[in-house]
Amino acid sequence: MNIYKKIITESMKVLIFASILSSFGGLSIKLVEEKLIMFVPLFIIIPALNNMIGDFGIIIVSKFTTHLYEQKIKRSSWRFHFVKHLFKDIFLAAIIATSYMVLMSIVLSKFRGFTADSDFVIKLFLTSLIVVIILVLIIFFISIGFGFYVYKKNEDPDDLVIPITTSIADLGSMAALSILVYLFF
Amino acid sequence: MKIAGKTKKRIDKDFVEIIGAQLIATTFGRIGGIFLTSAADKLYLIPGLLVLIPGFLEMHGNILGSLAARLGTALHTRKISPELKNSPFIKENVFANVSLGIIVGLFLGLLAFLITKMVFGVVDVKIIFVSVFALILSLVIELPLTLISTFWFFRKGYDPDDVMGPYVTTSGDVISILSLLVALWVVL
């Protein structure tokens, strides 16, 4: 199969599926819309969190796929040195980036006239951290597990798994944030 | 021992690249948000545009993120040379991404049209034109940018797998929103 046909065949179905998921993604946020408008930092942090988790999905899949094609990984195992270190790198980067994002949203919201007390900052930090940890874990396991399965089926994980992880990041972050905002604020 | 040291060095480099790209993307990603906020009033001019936006923004990460990942893998496995040349691999990747962009743009527009019709009872076919036109326009800018950047990062010693994801989604958000505004200006 030529490259063009392979990309179109592998990507089309999953992109259409991702489009449908994303188009409905805003619905969960709609349920906590009032709280989001009241707390400006939440409004600032949602798109950033959404993007960040999707970015980690792309990084995990592309690095894992490169390792598969380089024949450095021959079977699905979580004990591989590379998988363990990738997990450590992503997890640590996610925690640092989330802390930076919370700080940035607090500072930016101050310019819009919102003053956050310490109770709010702690709640925002915990909410964001819980969402990021849960979703990074889910995305990591899907990327490695499904990535290996797709590769074994002679398909390219870059084409199939990236849209899936970004959609999960999109829907998951909005749904998880909505639930946590409802419970915490 | 030597191998372990080498791997550790590579992992450390990976971590620095991942966190660096992510922090830059987070900072500059807010520019897209500012564009969107400043254009908020225009987003109500065509019914269904708010339904279209999440999927529209998501598609750039999906299409171009996959392209950057494929290029990264091809560069690492030496399937292509680090110089950006008019090879069949690049050509077919570009054509495939343009085709995917047009088809997905059309699908997203149709989906936004149908959701708006069913939920709000409003019929306006302009949303389909806006979706396709904006997706083509953004791809015209983003495709060469993604190609050039992936090769540039690789030649400079950065791993495209670490940096291209955040780069593509952040630049994609900003360019997509600008493209949507241009498409609105043309269609209205």
Side-chain angles (χ1 to χ4, degrees), chain A residues 100-113:
Chain A
Y100 173 70
M101 234 174 253
V102 171
L103 187 74
M104 203 172 142
S105 67
I106 298 286
V107 172
L108 286 176
S109 59
K110 218 172 170 72
F111 288 117
R112 292 189 184 183

Side-chain angles (χ1 to χ4, degrees), chain A residues 3-4 7 12 22-23 48 51-52 55 62-63 66 72 81 85 89 100 104 158-159 163 166-167 170, chain B residues 7 10-11 14 19 22 27 30 58 62 66 69-70 73 89 92-93 99 103 111 159 161-162 169 173:
Chain A
I3 300 164
Y4 176 86
I7 295 170
M12 189 54 71
S22 304
S23 294
N51 267 357
M52 184 188 80
D55 290 345
S62 52
K63 286 195 80 68
T66 298
K72 287 179 183 169
H81 186 69
H85 271 87
D89 281 354
Y100 173 70
M104 203 172 142
D158 285 338
D159 292 340
T166 51
S167 297
D170 204 24
Chain B
T7 313
R10 182 176 170 173
I11 304 285
D14 284 341
I19 190 69
Q22 197 54 61
T27 310
R30 299 309 93 222
E58 181 88 6
N62 286 343
S66 293
R70 278 196 299 273
T73 303
F89 180 84
E92 288 196 58
N93 262 281
S99 309
I103 297 166
L111 198 65
D159 185 350
D161 290 343
D162 291 336
T169 52
D173 280 357

Side-chain angles (χ1 to χ4, degrees), chain B residues 86-149:
Chain B
N86 196 10
S87 68
F89 180 84
I90 304 282
K91 238 193 268 179
E92 288 196 58
N93 262 281
V94 170
F95 286 140
N97 279 279
V98 172
S99 309
L100 282 174
I102 294 169
I103 297 166
V104 173
L106 192 64
F107 181 78
L108 279 170
L110 277 169
L111 198 65
F113 171 78
L114 287 174
I115 292 174
T116 317
K117 192 183 169 191
M118 284 192 288
V119 179
F120 306 108
V122 182
V123 179
D124 194 341
V125 286
K126 282 201 278 283
I127 189 73
I128 302 170
F129 294 112
V130 168
S131 175
V132 177
F133 184 74
L135 236 157
I136 294 171
L137 186 65
S138 57
L139 278 180
V140 166
I141 304 164
E142 286 176 65
L143 256 173
L145 205 63
T146 306
L147 279 170
I148 294 165
S149 313

Side-chain angles (χ1 to χ4, degrees), chain B residues 62-76:
Chain B
N62 286 343
I63 295 176
L64 297 165
S66 293
L67 169 69
R70 278 196 299 273
L71 290 174
T73 303
L75 285 165
H76 282 296

Side-chain angles (χ1 to χ4, degrees), chain A residues 43, chain B residues 32-46 49-50 53 177 181 184:
Chain A
F43 208 70
Chain B
I34 294 165
F35 277 131
L36 195 60
T37 315
S38 63
D41 54 331
K42 291 184 181 64
L43 301 180
Y44 293 97
L45 292 175
I46 292 183
L49 204 58
L50 285 174
I53 287 174
I177 290 165
L181 293 176
L184 275 177

Side-chain angles (χ1 to χ4, degrees), chain A residues 137-156:
Chain A
L137 279 172
I138 293 172
I139 281 174
F140 195 88
F141 286 105
I142 288 176
S143 302
I144 305 293
F146 191 54
F148 194 78
Y149 169 76
V150 165
Y151 178 74
K152 279 279 148 194
K153 277 184 74 187
N154 220 12
E155 290 182 65
D156 190 351

